[in-house]
Amino acid sequence: MNRIVIFSGTTEGRMLAQTLSENEIHCIVSVATEYGESVMPEMDGVTVHKGRMDLEEMQKFITQSEVAAVVDATHPFATAVSENIRESLKNTEIPYIRLQRETSDIALNKDTIQENRSDVILCSDATECADFLSFTDGNILLTTGSKDLATYSRKETLKDRLFVRVLPGLESLSLCEKNGICGKQIIAMQGPFSLEMNRALIRQFDIKYLVTKESGRTGGFLEKIKAAGAEGITACVIGNPEKQNSGDTFTQVCRKISEITGKTIKNQIALIGTGMGNEQTLTMEATEKIREADTFLEQNGCSGQQKMSRQSVIPTILQRISSRSWTGYPAAG
C-alpha cells in the first residue's frame, strides 16, 4: 500500500498530514494524547491513531498498518520516542524519514552565550536549569510543558515561584495537580504566542526568569527570547538534544514521499499583503504562513521580484513593514 504513517506531536506533523491529504496520499497520524487528537482537523484520507506506544506496540502497529514509509515528526526533545520508532523498523524494509524542525533562530552555544548574551543562560537539560534557578530569586515562567514539571516542582525553593504555561489538555492539567502546582500558577493556553503575548505574561506575573526549550521557529522560540530581552529578564534555554542536519526539511520529506508513492506533491502558494500596515497588523495566520514557507518571493512594484531565503526573510519583512517601504509578497513553500 501507499499509506504513510506519521508519528506526530508537532505543528510540522499536522502540516504534513494536511499536505498529503490535499495530494490524495493516505496516511495514518499517530498522536499520544486526547489533546493531540483534538487539534488534528478532519481530512480526507487521514486516519488518526491515539495513544502512547512502547516498542512492542509500535512494531505491531506498523506491521498491521501495511505502510510504505514511516515519518518521525515528533518533537525534537522526544528523543526516546524517536529511538523507539527507529528500533521498531529494524529488520524491515520500511523507510524511516525524520522530519526535523529548524532550530537555528539564533546561534546558541556556551561560548557565544558567555561572550555576547549575558541575558541568556544555556542549560543542557531540565535538571541543570532547575539547579541554576535554585540560587536565584523572583518568579519563573516555565514554558517547557508539563513533562519535566517534577524536576522543578520538587525543589522547595522553586515550587511557589513557578508560573507554568502548558497545553489546555487533561493530561497537562493533571500533571500540574500531581506536582502541587495550584490554579493561580497555571497558564493553560495553546500557542503559537506572539512577542506581545509573551511580554504581557512576563509583566502580568512579574517574571524574572523565563525557561524555554530551544524548540525552533514553530515552537515560538525566537519570540520568547526577544520578549525576555525586551522586558530585561533572563532567559534560561535548554539546548536541543537533536543534532542539526540529522533529518530532512519539510520539502525534502515531501520529495521522498513522492518518490516512494509515485505521486506528485504540489507546492502550495500563500499570498499575503500588508498594505500600509506595520508589524503588529500581521494576522496570526499570515505569521504562521511566513514561518512554514520554504521559499519566498518578494513582489515590489518598482523593483520586481526577488527570491529570499528563510533565514533572511523574517527580519527583512519586519524591517520593511516597519518602515512602510514594502507592500507585500507571495510566499511559496
Side-chain angles (χ1 to χ4, degrees), residues 229-279:
E231 295 299 322
I233 69 170
T234 299
C236 300
V237 179
I238 299 174
N240 180 15
E242 188 174 51
K243 293 181 179 180
Q244 287 296 302
N245 304 317
S246 62
D248 294 309
T249 66
F250 190 89
T251 300
Q252 290 170 335
V253 169
C254 288
R255 188 177 299 120
K256 286 185 175 182
I257 292 175
S258 181
E259 293 172 354
I260 291 168
T261 62
K263 293 188 176 182
T264 301
I265 297 179
K266 299 176 182 177
N267 287 330
Q268 295 181 349
I269 298 176
L271 300 176
I272 301 174
T274 62
M276 296 300 291
N278 55 37
E279 176 182 345

Side-chain angles (χ1 to χ4, degrees), residues 274 276-283 321:
T274 62
M276 296 300 291
N278 55 37
E279 176 182 345
Q280 284 70 38
T281 64
L282 277 178
T283 65
I321 292 175

Side-chain angles (χ1 to χ4, degrees), residues 43-62:
M43 294 176 279
D44 292 339
V46 177
T47 303
V48 178
H49 175 276
K50 180 193 71 179
R52 299 186 188 279
M53 291 182 278
D54 58 23
L55 176 57
E56 184 176 343
E57 290 169 330
M58 274 188 187
Q59 291 171 328
K60 184 177 180 180
F61 169 69
I62 292 171

Side-chain angles (χ1 to χ4, degrees), residues 103-115:
T103 58
S104 55
D105 284 308
I106 59 175
L108 283 182
N109 63 66
K110 289 193 174 181
D111 292 335
T112 58
I113 290 297
Q114 290 171 354
E115 292 176 6

Side-chain angles (χ1 to χ4, degrees), residues 10-11 44 46 135 154 183 192 234 240 276 312 314-315 319:
T10 59
T11 301
D44 292 339
V46 177
F135 296 95
R154 69 166 61 105
T234 299
N240 180 15
M276 296 300 291
S312 64
I314 293 179
Q319 179 183 13

Side-chain angles (χ1 to χ4, degrees), residues 77-128:
F77 283 78
T79 52
V81 178
S82 291
E83 178 59 31
N84 276 347
I85 296 172
R86 288 191 293 268
E87 188 68 25
S88 69
L89 293 174
K90 284 187 176 180
N91 303 318
T92 77
E93 296 182 356
I94 301 173
Y96 169 84
I97 304 172
R98 172 58 175 158
L99 174 53
Q100 186 173 36
R101 172 180 287 184
E102 290 190 52
T103 58
S104 55
D105 284 308
I106 59 175
L108 283 182
N109 63 66
K110 289 193 174 181
D111 292 335
T112 58
I113 290 297
Q114 290 171 354
E115 292 176 6
N116 305 317
R117 298 296 300 268
S118 59
D119 57 337
V120 176
I121 303 297
L122 185 62
C123 304
S124 58
D125 54 27
T127 300
E128 182 180 339

Side-chain angles (χ1 to χ4, degrees), residues 144-150 165-167 171-173 175-176 179:
T144 53
S146 56
K147 290 183 180 178
D148 292 327
L149 190 53
R165 191 166 74 188
V166 297
L167 291 171
E171 182 178 2
S172 297
L173 296 176
L175 283 170
C176 288
N179 286 284

